[in-house]
Amino acid sequence: MSIEEKVIDESIQGQATMVENKSGSGKKLYLESYGCQMNFSDSEIIASILSENGYATTRNVDEADVILMNTCSIRENAEQRVRNKLSQHNKRKKQNPGLVIGILGCMAERLKKDLLEQEKLVDLVAGPDAYRDLPNLISDVGGGQKAVNVLLSREETYADISPVRLDKGGVTAFISIMRGCDNMCSFCVVPFTRGRERSRDPESIVQEAKDLFERGYREVTLLGQNVDSYRWNITKKGEIIDPEKEVVNFAMLLEKVALVNPLLRVRFSTSHPKDMTDDVLITMAKHRNICDYIHLPVQSGNNEVLKRMNRGYSVEWYKDRLDAIRRIIPEAFISTDIITGFCGETEEQHQDTMELMKYAKYEFAYMFFYSERPKTLAERKFEDDIPEDIKKRRLNEVQELQVELSFDAHKRTIGKVCEVLIEGLSKRSEDFLVGRNSQNLTVILPRENHKPGDYVNVLIEDCTSATATGVVVND
Ligand code: 5AD
Ligand code: SF4
């Protein structure tokens, strides 16, 4: 697995003004999301299913009839944050006894009935493949029952559901292209919470991209735990399922989406180093609107550790993939995920990770210290033997190194002109706008007469380790 986790402290909190209830029942849903982009994308499916059933979303938790928390299990602290929030929500039941509180997503799948029976924190538990059942589950709770559906499916992709876009900007959107994960990385809980890997019908993906473009969206991110293993109409063993129909792999899907319109940018996440082919890179180089950015999680720079992590590649293989990216798309920015203090990691092995970071010159990284997760291969096979202070010290070291690497990469953009897609107002000042260039670098620019959804050419004048600033030229 590896979808970058985007921890969002604020909840999505629905958007009552944007999501109208279709049957006029007037029920209000407060939907809160945690975890990775895939989870945020799932929340848009959940909002769609419930809006069809008469629920409007609200940002005001006090007026909610139903509170749903779409949760993450990837590290212990992700779960802890949800528990704290759940007990706050539970206090609202005193004033509003009819309030339904439900837990969805990875924590729901992992903890199942425990949340209802032992912890008594919720009325409803629904796993990632059970969202179509939410209207029934909510009505079961209304009838005085506790409701659970944590069945995982081999087929569910929600392909026919048109997600309600919860992101306010209206410029960028996620499209989920597959679900689940068949890689058994030893540290990872995802195969247990999201089930087996399955790909979504390419036609429905392309159609969703077309609809988004027509509605003014200018960027889509294709999401999957391991996009390189996307496959349609062919089994893992290479047997064609329906000879009358087209076989589609990830490179082909990427091309189909890129062809929707040259003004629609295409991104994707996450690539797996063991499966990323040159084909994908060549497709990226061929289409200007496929962004020059790859998220390629390495996790560790040492072969023994990679083996214990069951990642399925060596440092040498990973470097070959890095070299291929730099050769085929020289302008590309590369980001990664790193875990420090995995079971048995020595100081030397930690140093190897830092060496690999320097070799890769990552422009960006998501870094974590190892958190043991119940049921995973690592929990069963290895001792979680690195003390927390050492895990954290190593994490600090990789973070410090990454700040330097990011700053170096951003400095190299000064004096260059790049195309920026404007996404909205800068958080710091209404006189400035924020957008990203193809390489995923965040760029701040003066507002002037530009607006979200515009493409502008920006001369980069200054930068930090996190963002760049510049001015619009010759537009
Ligand atoms: N502990 C720490 N980090 C983890 N990740 C996944 N599982 C764990 C864990 N048990 C990180 C990996 C992955 C990212 C999404 O989260 O780096 O790529
Ligand atoms: Fe996403 Fe679930 Fe993994 Fe969290 S545990 S990062 S929500 S797939």
Side-chain angles (χ1 to χ4, degrees):
M1 110 107 206
S2 52
I3 259 219
E4 68 206 47
E5 190 202 20
K6 179 170 141 202
V7 176
I8 307 269
D9 277 310
E10 286 170 289
S11 56
I12 267 195
Q13 299 180 336
Q15 286 159 27
T17 46
M18 293 180 67
V19 188
E20 312 245 304
N21 57 327
K22 300 234 166 115
S23 75
S25 76
K27 292 263 186 191
K28 293 259 174 12
L29 160 70
Y30 181 86
L31 177 59
E32 214 168 48
S33 306
Y34 296 83
C36 61
Q37 294 167 331
M38 184 66 93
N39 240 28
F40 281 78
S41 166
D42 279 2
S43 286
E44 301 187 327
I45 288 167
I46 294 161
S48 170
I49 291 170
L50 288 173
S51 132
E52 291 290 330
N53 282 272
Y55 285 84
T57 54
T58 173
R59 289 160 193 247
N60 179 0
V61 65
D62 292 321
E63 63 174 28
D65 302 291
V66 178
I67 297 178
L68 296 178
M69 300 179 75
N70 191 8
T71 62
C72 172
S73 288
I74 198 118
R75 282 170 288 275
E76 204 180 326
N77 59 11
E79 291 198 351
Q80 200 45 52
R81 281 172 52 230
V82 170
R83 282 178 202 280
N84 296 343
K85 208 62 194 286
L86 259 182
S87 40
Q88 282 175 27
H89 288 327
N90 261 283
K91 291 189 192 129
R92 294 177 205 282
K93 282 209 163 182
K94 291 211 181 84
Q95 283 102 47
N96 181 1
L99 178 66
V100 175
I101 300 181
I103 193 158
L104 317 179
C106 291
M107 253 177 104
E109 193 62 50
R110 195 178 85 69
L111 296 163
K112 302 186 168 79
K113 282 189 181 157
D114 289 1
L115 289 163
L116 290 174
E117 289 170 1
Q118 290 171 15
E119 306 193 29
K120 298 202 178 354
L121 285 170
V122 295
D123 310 296
L124 179 161
V125 178
D129 290 341
Y131 298 148
R132 287 181 202 266
D133 198 23
L134 275 172
N136 295 329
L137 295 171
I138 295 173
S139 84
D140 285 352
V141 175
Q145 284 167 267
K146 298 275 179 186
V148 192
N149 185 343
V150 286
L151 288 177
L152 286 173
S153 156
R154 279 178 173 259
E155 283 94 35
E156 180 64 274
T157 58
Y158 300 111
D160 56 316
I161 294 187
S162 165
V164 163
R165 301 295 165 184
L166 295 170
D167 177 70
K168 278 174 269 176
V171 177
T172 66
F174 296 129
I175 301 183
S176 163
I177 63 162
M178 55 206 292
R179 298 182 71 80
C181 185
D182 281 355
N183 301 320
M184 275 284 177
C185 299
S186 63
F187 50 78
C188 191
V189 77
V190 173
F192 305 97
T193 61
R194 288 189 163 267
R196 299 305 298 267
E197 180 190 289
R198 64 219 100 118
S199 297
R200 177 178 164 192
D201 182 341
E203 263 175 49
S204 75
I205 297 169
V206 171
Q207 195 49 48
E208 194 172 325
K210 280 187 183 157
D211 289 346
L212 284 163
F213 184 78
E214 275 157 25
R215 285 162 53 199
Y217 283 81
R218 290 295 174 263
E219 183 182 296
V220 293
T221 302
L222 308 181
L223 290 181
Q225 242 73 34
N226 174 359
V227 290
D228 302 286
S229 64
Y230 176 89
R231 76 177 69 80
W232 185 252
N233 196 26
I234 188 164
T235 65
K236 253 190 174 173
K237 288 185 191 140
E239 296 145 357
I240 295 176
I241 298 166
D242 181 348
E244 305 282 301
K245 291 199 179 134
E246 193 187 14
V247 170
V248 182
N249 65 20
F250 181 59
M252 292 155 84
L253 177 72
L254 201 52
E255 175 145 76
K256 283 177 189 287
V257 180
L259 289 172
V260 165
N261 195 298
L263 288 178
L264 183 70
R265 271 188 179 175
V266 188
R267 299 186 184 277
F268 56 88
S269 192
T270 295
S271 304
H272 197 301
K274 81 176 161 57
D275 298 320
M276 193 195 68
T277 60
D278 284 4
D279 246 18
V280 168
L281 301 175
I282 291 163
T283 308
M284 290 172 77
K286 189 167 142 199
H287 295 275
R288 195 171 164 266
N289 58 329
I290 305 181
C291 291
D292 292 344
Y293 171 67
I294 294 203
H295 183 60
L296 195 68
V298 69
Q299 315 297 359
S300 164
N302 175 272
N303 279 337
E304 273 174 49
V305 178
L306 285 174
K307 197 151 201 224
R308 280 202 294 279
M309 288 179 162
N310 201 28
R311 287 289 287 173
Y313 56 84
S314 63
V315 172
E316 294 68 30
W317 174 278
Y318 186 89
K319 282 184 168 170
D320 172 74
R321 298 292 73 212
L322 287 174
D323 296 346
I325 300 171
R326 300 283 186 219
R327 186 175 66 242
I328 300 169
I329 323 165
E331 298 290 311
F333 270 23
I334 305 175
S335 63
T336 201
D337 289 346
I338 288 170
I339 299 178
T340 65
F342 185 64
C343 312
E345 186 190 67
T346 64
E347 263 332 297
E348 291 71 34
Q349 292 171 336
H350 164 60
Q351 290 301 327
D352 287 346
T353 298
M354 311 255 282
E355 286 309 310
L356 185 59
M357 290 171 73
K358 290 180 202 160
Y359 180 89
K361 300 198 178 72
Y362 293 119
E363 280 85 8
F364 190 79
Y366 298 89
M367 297 153 283
F368 316 97
F369 66 84
Y370 175 59
S371 159
E372 186 178 75
R373 307 310 292 131
K375 279 204 197 155
T376 54
L377 276 176
E379 189 237 14
R380 284 183 275 139
K381 274 173 70 179
F382 309 120
E383 195 188 337
D384 180 15
D385 56 353
I386 309 298
E388 190 151 312
D389 56 336
I390 296 185
K391 285 181 181 172
K392 287 187 173 162
R393 195 256 299 146
R394 291 181 187 167
L395 177 62
N396 263 326
E397 288 175 10
V398 297
Q399 284 170 333
E400 277 171 19
L401 173 58
Q402 188 53 49
V403 167
E404 278 176 41
L405 294 175
S406 298
F407 197 27
D408 285 349
H410 298 172
K411 277 191 280 201
R412 286 193 290 274
T413 67
I414 293 178
K416 291 190 182 160
V417 174
C418 58
E419 189 181 68
V420 172
L421 171 61
I422 297 174
E423 290 176 28
L425 286 179
S426 151
K427 277 194 198 118
R428 279 188 217 134
S429 154
E430 297 220 332
D431 297 331
F432 288 84
L433 294 168
V434 66
R436 275 171 301 149
N437 71 3
S438 169
Q439 284 84 354
N440 209 32
L441 174 61
T442 301
V443 179
I444 318 275
L445 52 130
R447 185 168 174 182
E448 298 167 342
N449 291 324
H450 310 296
K451 55 181 193 313
D454 287 352
Y455 285 103
V456 285
N457 290 322
V458 177
L459 171 68
I460 304 296
E461 294 183 326
D462 201 2
C463 71
T464 65
S465 61
T467 58
T469 48
V471 289
V472 176
V473 288
N474 64 22
D475 71 333

